[in-house]
């Protein structure tokens, strides 16, 4: 009798063991799918679309979104995202839920080797065990894709994975998100998403020369873009945006103030546009009321309008930009972004502006805002001096104030863009 009971308990134990991450548990899989979207795994893990096609458009509906191989640019070189479909040879088909959690939480593979923080485990460490298991259950339901990814593409000395032990000691704060009981449930949900799966800080927090974090969400350069400050600072961050404006931007990629291009257009398209209204609202609430009060940045003095660079910039603006962004820099709501009072135009780094002028820009396409309006490229008709002048002009007109952009900055950006393999 005892023996039978023991066996029954053991069997039940085994059942619960697998139930932790169970691909047949519909509720858990659906939740995991949503959480994988909130984590934007496909933005990096998208793989080959099949023979002859280098990289699929990240696809949430198919395994190829997770088959790996896309090269992630870092200041230290390119790192290719892994195959995380359940293929037993080239993916994570042999992993257990525990091993998956170890990767998400500690940044380590089952054999103990260290993952690079190009995989944002520095943020995903916040994810609860329950949510990690749900994501794993969802990944188990994908069709396995055989795609061997060369995982060691970094040059010496960064190819030494052991070095990550030292890096982790310096820069990695491991630990599941701890709710702040003095704040509302909504605020805590927002904090959990922004700091965890949303990994907003991987782009919006500036990095030091070793890739460690600087001031939290204060804005930073990445891949020749500038991710603006997301602090509650009114001049440079989202302090002046309403919660509704933040939600609209995350849901559709644009609002009256700004339009999401480049890496942020991808974040919107594959992740935030597919999140629930209540989760977007929670993130907005958290961003507007950070745990630590922000020191409001004081504005630099704007350049004088009769400065030679400003005069040149004004002429170019009237000729090439005014038709869309309007004389007063107000733009046209949800079509042509407002440049006057724009946070992104006044960031310390001018990368995103130079990019827009040189290459043109295309707003994110989402179900809510299907055809994104586009901005034409000016790189072919303006030289570096002219590009710098018009960038300087929009940064210092209509009440805007930001450091001037040099001809050298424009030249460097043109060179960088020529190198970028899309
Ligand atoms: C910003 C890009 C990026 C995002 C977003 C991202 N990953 Fe990754 N991931 C990587 C890179 C790059 C690697 C390879 C790192 C290495 O080789 O050290 C990786 C590795 C992994 C690994 C280790 C696989 C192995 O075989 O070693 C797992 C598991 C993983 N990612 C899961 C996820 C999940 C789940 C998500 C979404 C919740 C996600 N990743 C989002 C870039 C990303
Ligand atoms: C892969 C990098 C990346 C990630 C991850 C990312 N962002 Fe961004 N974000 C950017 C870049 C780059 C821009 C500037 C886009 C532009 O100039 O059009 C931006 C712009 C924004 C803006 C507009 C700011 C302004 O002043 O115009 C908001 C708001 C924003 N991001 C919120 C978020 C939130 C919230 C998250 C996390 C859920 C997030 N971002 C994750 C790169 C990123
Ligand atoms: C045909 C209309 C059009 C013209 C002409 C035009 N733009 Fe734009 N511009 C747009 C649109 C549309 C966007 C939004 C695209 C996106 O970034 O998603 C944009 C975006 C921008 C941005 C990024 C704003 C932000 O919030 O991130 C800057 C900066 C900019 N334009 C400056 C200029 C300058 C300078 C000129 C002239 C040299 C110019 N534009 C000419 C339509 C135009």
């Amino acid at each position: 009798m005892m023996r039978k009971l023991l066996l029954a308990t053991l069997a039940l134990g085994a059942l619960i063991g697998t139930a932790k991450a169970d691909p047949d548990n519909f509720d858990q899989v659906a939740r995991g799918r949503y959480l994988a979207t909130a984590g934007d795994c496909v933005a990096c893990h998208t793989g080959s679309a099949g023979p002859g096609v280098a990289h699929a458009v990240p696809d949430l509906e198919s395994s190829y979104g997770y088959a790996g191989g896309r090269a992630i640019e870092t200041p230290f070189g390119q790192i290719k995202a892994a195959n995380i479909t359940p293929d037993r040879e080239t993916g994570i088909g042999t992993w257990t839920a525990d091993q998956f959690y170890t990767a998400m939480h500690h940044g380590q593979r089952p054999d103990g080797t260290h993952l690079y923080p190009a995989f944002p485990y520095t943020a995903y460490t916040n994810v609860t065990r329950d949510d990690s298991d749900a994501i794993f259950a969802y990944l188990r339901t994908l069709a396995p894709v055989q795609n061997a990814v060369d995982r060691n593409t970094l040059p010496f000395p960064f190819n030494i994975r052991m070095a990550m032990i030292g890096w982790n000691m310096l820069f990695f704060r491991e630990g599941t998100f701890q709710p702040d009981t003095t704040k509302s449930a909504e605020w805590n949900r927002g904090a959990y998403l922004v700091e965890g799966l949303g990994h907003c800080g991987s782009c919006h927090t500036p990095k030091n020369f070793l890739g460690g974090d600087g001031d939290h969400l204060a804005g930073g350069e990445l891949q020749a873009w500038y991710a603006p400050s997301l602090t509650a600072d009114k001049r440079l961050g989202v302090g002046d945006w309403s919660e509704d404006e933040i939600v609209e931007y995350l849901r559709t990629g644009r609002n009256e103030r700004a339009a999401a291009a480049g890496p942020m257009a991808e974040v919107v398209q594959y992740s935030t546009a597919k999140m629930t209204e209540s989760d977007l609202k929670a993130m907005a609430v958290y961003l507007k009321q950070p745990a630590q009060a922000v020191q409001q940045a004081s504005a630099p003095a704007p350049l004088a309008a009769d400065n030679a660079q400003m005069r040149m910039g004004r002429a170019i603006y009237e000729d090439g930009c005014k038709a869309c962004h309007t004389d007063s820099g107000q733009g046209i709501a949800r079509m042509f972004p407002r440049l006057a009072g724009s946070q992104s135009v006044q960031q310390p780094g001018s990368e995103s502006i130079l990019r827009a002028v040189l290459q043109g820009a295309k707003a994110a396409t989402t179900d809510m805002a299907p055809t994104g309006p586009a901005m034409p490229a000016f790189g072919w008709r303006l030289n570096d001096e002219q590009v710098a002048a018009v960038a300087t002009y929009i940064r210092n007109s209509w009440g805007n104030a930001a450091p001037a952009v040099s001809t050298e900055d424009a030249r460097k950006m043109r060179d960088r863009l020529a190198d970028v393999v899309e």
Side-chain angles (χ1 to χ4, degrees):
M1 181 66 195
M2 270 305 280
R3 204 182 136 84
K4 252 195 186 153
L5 198 70
L6 189 71
L7 281 175
T9 321
L10 282 176
L12 193 69
L15 252 174
I16 293 168
T18 50
K20 260 199 305 197
D22 178 4
D24 293 329
N25 176 340
F26 181 78
D27 287 344
Q28 192 188 33
V29 167
R31 204 161 59 81
R33 184 179 195 283
Y34 178 77
L35 294 166
T37 305
D40 206 8
C41 320
V42 294
C44 297
H45 283 279
T46 189
S48 153
V53 183
H55 286 291
V57 172
D59 182 359
L60 291 170
E61 309 304 326
S62 100
S63 292
Y64 290 113
Y66 300 88
R70 185 175 188 180
I72 311 304
E73 298 287 342
T74 79
F76 313 109
Q78 288 191 340
I79 305 174
K80 288 189 177 160
N83 179 350
I84 54 171
T85 71
D87 186 57
R88 295 181 68 85
E89 270 168 49
T90 62
I92 59 171
T94 61
W95 289 30
T96 64
D98 284 339
Q99 290 170 332
F100 180 76
Y101 181 68
T102 301
M104 295 284 279
H105 193 73
H106 306 274
Q108 268 174 284
R109 309 190 72 227
D111 65 4
T113 51
H114 287 265
L115 291 159
Y116 293 113
F119 164 52
Y121 65 86
T122 47
Y124 295 161
T125 188
N126 278 298
V127 173
T128 61
R129 176 66 208 242
D130 214 36
D131 282 355
S132 170
D133 287 348
I135 295 172
F136 188 63
Y138 166 63
L139 293 175
R140 305 289 299 178
T141 67
L142 298 171
V145 177
Q146 187 151 36
N147 181 33
V149 175
D150 176 3
R151 301 288 298 283
N152 297 302
T153 52
L154 281 186
F156 180 82
F158 306 112
N159 57 349
I160 304 170
R161 284 182 182 264
M162 288 290 281
M164 291 313 303
I165 297 173
W167 191 94
N168 282 341
M169 277 170 67
L170 287 171
F171 303 120
F172 178 38
R173 298 288 161 270
E174 179 183 310
T176 310
F177 174 75
Q178 297 301 322
D180 179 340
T181 51
T182 67
K183 300 283 207 287
S184 67
E186 187 178 44
W187 186 96
N188 277 296
R189 175 71 180 165
Y192 176 67
L193 289 168
V194 166
E195 305 300 347
L197 284 170
H199 67 285
C200 315
S202 0
C203 298
H204 287 275
T205 294
K207 304 287 177 272
N208 65 26
F209 73 105
L210 284 173
D213 280 354
D215 288 347
H216 192 52
L217 298 180
E221 192 270 336
L222 77 143
Q223 298 164 19
W225 287 89
Y226 194 90
S229 165
L230 291 185
T231 70
D233 181 70
K234 286 191 190 318
R235 208 175 73 80
L236 297 175
V238 292
D240 214 30
W241 292 33
S242 68
E243 282 165 12
D244 286 347
E245 284 175 328
I246 298 175
V247 169
E248 186 184 359
Y249 182 94
L250 294 174
R251 180 161 36 81
T252 67
R254 71 195 77 146
N255 61 21
E256 214 173 299
R257 296 168 180 271
M264 192 61 203
E266 291 196 359
V267 171
V268 171
Q269 221 158 320
Y270 308 126
S271 179
T272 57
K274 302 193 187 303
M275 291 175 73
T276 62
E277 198 73 8
S278 61
D279 274 350
L280 297 181
K281 171 85 183 319
M283 293 201 283
V285 164
Y286 170 67
L287 290 174
K288 292 276 295 173
Q289 303 163 32
Q292 267 104 35
V294 293
Q295 180 123 30
Q296 298 291 329
S298 54
L303 295 182
D306 61 356
N307 156 309
Q309 203 187 15
M310 287 288 281
R311 284 208 314 269
M312 177 190 276
R314 179 175 178 88
I316 295 163
Y317 186 84
E318 295 198 331
D319 187 39
C321 323
K322 190 173 82 170
C324 296
H325 293 285
T326 76
D327 205 15
S328 58
Q330 290 297 323
I332 295 175
R334 295 172 188 83
M335 298 243 338
F336 305 125
R338 178 158 103 198
L339 305 178
S342 153
Q343 278 69 34
S344 65
V345 167
Q346 299 176 80
Q347 298 297 311
S350 57
E351 287 85 356
S352 297
I353 305 178
L354 288 174
R355 218 186 228 273
V357 174
L358 286 165
Q359 268 196 331
K362 178 108 177 63
T365 304
T366 62
D367 293 345
M368 309 297 288
T371 37
M375 167 166 157
F378 288 85
W380 61 279
R381 60 183 247 217
L382 299 178
N383 65 28
D384 295 336
E385 189 186 12
Q386 293 167 324
V387 168
V390 76
T392 300
Y393 175 76
I394 61 173
R395 279 159 76 76
N396 290 279
S397 298
W398 321 291
N400 289 356
V405 179
S406 70
T407 303
E408 180 63 9
D409 292 338
R411 190 190 59 74
K412 278 200 200 129
M413 182 56 71
R414 199 189 287 271
D415 287 352
R416 283 184 79 173
L417 295 181
D419 286 346
V420 173
V421 196
E422 291 291 339

